[in-house]
Amino acid sequence: MYQSFIGLEIHIQLLTESKVFCGCTNRFGDEPNTNVCPVCMGYPGVLPALNAQAIRLSYVVARALNCEMSPQAVFERKNYFYPDMPKNYQISQFSSPLGRNGWIDVAYNGKTRRVRIHEIHLEEDAGKMIHAGDMSLLDYNRAGTPLLEIVTEPDMEFGEEAEILLQDFRRTIRYLGVCDGNMEEGSMRCDANVSVNLEGRGLGRKVEIKNLNSSRFVKMALNYEIGRQKEILDKGGKVVQETRLWNENRDVTETMRTKESAHDYRYFPEPDLPAFVPDAEFLAQVDRGLVELPAARRERFVKDYGVNEAAADFLINEKGTADFYEEVAALGADPGAAASWLQFDVRKILNRENRELAGSPLTAARLAQLLSLLSGGRIHGKIAKQVLEAVFAEDKDPGLIIREKGWEQMDDAAELAALVDRALAANAKAAAAVKAGDAKPLGFLVGQIMKATQGRAQPQMVQELLKEKLGI
Amino acid sequence: MDVSELKVTADLANIELGEEEFASLGREVEKMLDYFSKMMETDGMSLPSGPGRRAANRTRPDAVSGDADPDSLLENAPELEDRFIVIPNVL
Ligand SMILES: [Zn+2]
């Protein structure tokens, strides 16, 4: 039978203030060619200078992906002629990239596979080129912005694993705060490579796939490509080693014409940049940049808070949500209740209003207060949901809301007794039926009292009072 | 230097040359390469500087310098359209 070998090349744009080798602003969406200077425009006689934050973030990623961190990160010139790179070379790393031999675990189909990271290197991004008829438009705002490339070994077998790896990786870099991981906007980009061979025969002829704008497309393109290559081999044919493009309208990969010399970059050392040698102080800084990563946090949430896997998955997906959850729990809220409220009620409102938890009127303190009002019996479930809505609508504390609206639970026995008497008088028929042994109308009577109090009456007390008065 | 190797190099550098030029250039490139191999014989590592041999890393803080003048740089572009630099289409 056949075996498939999948590897990924992931590029992420680092979240720095300035570009990697010059002091231009690093920002997406500005007017074309506003963030440019002689260095990133490739003017003669200029000198690049390495951005300290860019190299620090790079090492943080290398560390988080379990890489051996290079004692000497060397920069090289990767030569190629294309108008998106005004210098005619890209400053990149070749002989001594900053990270090597790392790994990332991918859990799929009940199995965990360790995917090796071949290397991680820091380079500069190219400018943007828009093809418009017989001319091309160039914007160099992105030229020279810090780009980190992560190359995996061809250790995966299924498109699904590649999709999961990308999702996990995206979560990790967002946790680390090094990149926002937006594949649609291109702050995270991915090329895939795949080969198919008879089992036990090692790698086949490698095909690279480009134009993958989401992790779902990566999965679809890889699975399509594996099928295509198997079919060729079935017919006794040979797979052509080439670069193919994913066509997202037709769900197929297509041949991309490339020059034969496209991969002959003639790397040579960048004479203008000394090698970067991380010292103890720098490595300590890198350590401080690490946070508890999503997989570890998921495990801890299940263990420490007793939440189920699905809830843990939801809670850890965004670091902000996980931090928020832990804050609510630390304020004394029941972890199970807090998880469930975040996963369902709060999420429902956020989705409806198309907003994020961060910066919303719901703070951890407010959710904790709401849950404490609920568990303390001061409000009951249905009112609690209304209070949550009101927190979002009015930006006030739950305690204040229930006081202002008079939503506090009615648990005064005398007050409730009077209401029960009134309900029994108004619904004599139902009362008589209950007395005669038919329990059904009891619920109706409770409902009448709940209605009369807009849901504020303490239901158990109402029920007990009713039973008492009806002598059952 | 082998002419075929020279041709690949010329192609990578986007330089078009005729056969005669290849012949004469080949000899000149040969001289340069000889000179480079001679330089490689020297003990560069004992020199006080060179990549990886500095006492401290040279980096700059992650801050926008704000001293660039993008508009004057754009004046050197052959053609502009809404701040985009316009060039003939390349694939
Ligand atoms: Zn610049």
Side-chain angles (χ1 to χ4, degrees), chain A residues 18-19 22 33 50 133 277, chain B residues 9 57 60 62 83 85 87 89:
Chain A
S18 62
K19 293 187 177 182
C22 63
N33 295 311
L50 179 62
V277 181
Chain B
T9 307
N57 285 311
R60 58 170 188 85
D62 179 26
R83 296 195 65 87
I85 296 169
I87 58 164
N89 199 3

Side-chain angles (χ1 to χ4, degrees), chain A residues 19 21-25 35-41 140 143-144, chain B residues 65 68 73:
Chain A
K19 293 187 177 182
F21 299 120
C22 63
C24 289
T25 302
N35 304 321
V36 291
C37 74
V39 176
C40 55
M41 291 275 265
Y140 289 123
Chain B
S65 55
L73 295 176

Side-chain angles (χ1 to χ4, degrees), chain A residues 135-175:
Chain A
M135 59 183 191
S136 292
L137 304 173
L138 293 167
D139 171 14
Y140 289 123
N141 281 349
R142 202 181 63 184
T145 58
L147 193 67
L148 194 66
E149 179 170 339
I150 295 95
V151 184
T152 81
E153 297 288 355
D155 286 348
M156 288 168 283
E157 214 175 324
F158 312 106
E160 285 77 3
E161 289 174 311
E163 183 182 34
I164 292 168
L165 184 145
L166 280 174
Q167 288 165 347
D168 287 351
F169 174 74
R170 176 177 183 273
R171 206 175 285 128
T172 297
I173 54 171
R174 287 174 61 89
Y175 262 62

